[in-house]
Amino acid sequence: MREQFPIVTAHPESAYLDSAATSQKPRAVLDAVQTYLTTSNANAGRGTYPWANRTTELVERARQRVKEFLRDPEPERSTVHFTSGTTEGLRTVARDWLVPYLSDGDEILVPFADHRANLDPWLEAGRLLAERGVDVRVRALPHQAVSGDYDHRALGDLVGPRTRFVAATHVHHVYGGDMNVHRIRAAVGPDVPICLDAAQSVGHLPVDPAGAGLDVDFVVFSGHKAMALPGTGALWARNARGPAFRPAGWQGTPNTAGVVSLRAALDWLDAAGADRIARWTAGLTTRLTDGLSRLGPYEILGCPASLAADSALPAAQRRHGIVTFRHQDIPSDDLGFILYSHGFMVRADSLCQAGAAAEDGSVRVSLHVYNTEEEIDRLLAALTSLA
């Protein structure tokens, strides 16, 4: 599969280890975009000539492709809205669906320790409602400081008769752990809508939002993290709890090339196999955490019990392609530059984590199907030399 990524094979001396920020694109996606732009590029939903009709058809087929990819059991009921990415998708849910849905005295539960994109939109919704004289309480999903996982036992004490909505993350962008959303569903009951930030799971592991493992009402993800072009993403609304989702206002020109790339990326991911990709990246992650945990100067963030290769934790608790750490003496931004000088491209900053300050910086290694065991071993050798 690595051979299908031109930018990766063109730079064998470098190891791209920043796929949680954006993934590289396989040749099939690049070819699909080039074919569209050179054969039928036009606006969608506007015009009746063949190129415009063809573009409109491509966009509509892409909507159906998203539903198929997510194993949508009722595609005739659900809605797919294309966005510029996860951030816009979550803000669209907050602005166009949540604000009209809530009433005075309602409560919502949202993550205060995840990516800012899954916090700011809900805080904005609360402020907008307050300006209208509607008092809604925004409560923090309890989380465990060390592992980053949600504290599902404490969550039960926060759920009440006025709990109307929950926002959650599928795979944490710092700790890499599966956030066990099925436990949130068990805590809040069968009637409360849940919105899932799936930016770090779609394209990395199987995502079945209507299945018992999730049972959520919204799934939002970014195309650029799932092997499609930047500036595209999707919002899937199940329309099973609460009012049906409809984007508000006039819908302008869609990112047609991005939508085409997203459909091609989902085709590629399905052909590669989400289970297969997840097994590969989990194996690389275990290889890295096992080696890194043996190096004294490094602190690996997240659940400490998931570090060793012989960990007995169930698969749901393992890290999904993300390892974040700090060196006890070398500042994280400096360590990022040092690793780049050794040929490794990693993320080194506060990682857009809500509540994090600049001094909370860390180094994040994020993996995908094009990474190799040899790259992990080279990285461990470089980190060992700095120990």
Side-chain angles (χ1 to χ4, degrees):
M1 291 185 186
R2 178 181 172 91
E3 297 302 315
Q4 299 181 44
F5 294 84
I7 194 171
V8 174
T9 56
H11 300 279
E13 75 287 351
S14 299
Y16 183 76
L17 304 174
D18 196 21
S19 292
T22 198
S23 63
Q24 298 304 334
K25 322 305 175 192
R27 172 61 66 187
V29 170
L30 303 177
D31 289 346
V33 173
Q34 183 176 28
T35 298
Y36 164 70
L37 292 175
T38 56
T39 61
S40 57
N41 177 42
N43 212 328
R46 298 157 176 83
T48 57
Y49 51 90
W51 291 1
N53 292 339
R54 172 63 174 160
T55 298
T56 300
E57 181 183 7
L58 287 172
V59 171
E60 291 309 310
R61 286 184 179 179
R63 293 188 204 280
Q64 298 306 312
R65 190 67 185 89
V66 171
K67 296 181 181 184
E68 294 169 1
F69 188 80
L70 295 178
R71 302 177 177 88
D72 190 338
E74 298 180 282
E76 70 286 348
R77 183 180 192 176
S78 62
T79 302
V80 170
H81 176 62
F82 291 116
T83 69
S84 64
T86 303
T87 301
E88 185 195 348
L90 294 170
R91 292 191 69 192
T92 300
V93 175
R95 180 187 63 242
D96 295 351
W97 186 86
L98 185 62
V99 168
Y101 174 60
L102 296 177
S103 302
D104 199 61
D106 285 345
E107 298 181 350
I108 64 174
L109 295 169
V110 303
F112 276 64
D114 297 356
H115 197 288
R116 285 191 58 185
N118 203 15
L119 173 62
D120 289 358
W122 319 119
L123 298 178
E124 292 171 5
R127 289 192 292 268
L128 181 58
L129 286 162
E131 292 172 0
R132 300 178 181 180
V134 179
D135 182 20
V136 170
R137 186 176 183 184
V138 181
R139 307 189 72 175
L141 269 175
H143 72 280
Q144 301 173 11
V146 175
S147 68
D149 193 12
Y150 299 133
D151 188 338
H152 300 94
R153 293 182 179 178
L155 174 60
D157 296 331
L158 295 179
V159 177
R162 299 305 299 270
T163 302
R164 293 288 185 265
F165 174 82
V166 178
T169 300
H170 194 185
V171 171
H172 201 282
H173 75 293
V174 175
Y175 308 107
D178 185 303
M179 301 297 280
N180 294 299
V181 176
H182 66 284
R183 295 181 182 171
I184 294 179
R185 170 56 69 202
V188 302
D191 300 322
V192 177
I194 298 176
C195 179
L196 188 69
D197 175 352
Q200 300 298 345
S201 56
V202 169
H204 298 264
L205 66 154
V207 179
D208 184 4
L214 291 175
D215 191 13
V216 299
D217 300 271
F218 297 93
V219 170
V220 184
F221 66 94
S222 298
H224 73 96
K225 297 179 190 290
M227 299 189 178
L229 293 184
T232 189
L235 185 173
W236 173 84
R238 187 176 179 182
N239 297 332
R241 300 178 179 94
F245 168 80
R246 295 291 182 271
W250 177 258
Q251 301 302 302
T253 298
N255 178 2
T256 53
V259 171
V260 167
S261 77
L262 181 58
R263 181 186 174 191
L266 298 183
D267 287 344
W268 191 93
L269 290 165
D270 260 349
D275 286 323
R276 192 177 175 200
I277 293 172
R279 286 196 302 271
W280 180 252
T281 55
L284 294 180
T285 304
T286 300
R287 192 181 189 94
L288 176 56
T289 56
D290 186 60
L292 194 56
S293 65
R294 305 175 194 280
L295 300 179
Y298 296 96
E299 173 198 8
I300 306 177
L301 306 187
C303 180
S306 67
L307 301 182
D310 58 357
S311 171
L313 284 175
Q317 296 289 341
R318 293 192 183 278
R319 299 164 191 256
H320 291 283
I322 295 175
V323 180
T324 304
F325 56 91
R326 298 188 181 104
H327 192 287
Q328 65 182 14
D329 298 317
I330 305 174
S332 295
D333 52 351
D334 291 342
L335 184 55
F337 282 115
I338 294 171
L339 289 176
Y340 177 72
S341 71
H342 286 76
F344 302 102
M345 290 175 273
V346 299
R347 178 83 177 265
D349 53 36
S350 60
L351 306 179
C352 299
Q353 186 173 15
E359 57 268 22
D360 298 323
S362 53
V363 173
R364 182 181 69 186
V365 172
S366 50
L367 307 161
H368 219 310
V369 68
Y370 36 73
N371 293 119
T372 67
E373 293 176 334
E374 185 270 339
E375 288 177 333
I376 298 301
D377 292 343
R378 283 199 289 122
L379 175 62
L380 285 169
L383 292 171
T384 300
S385 70
L386 301 171

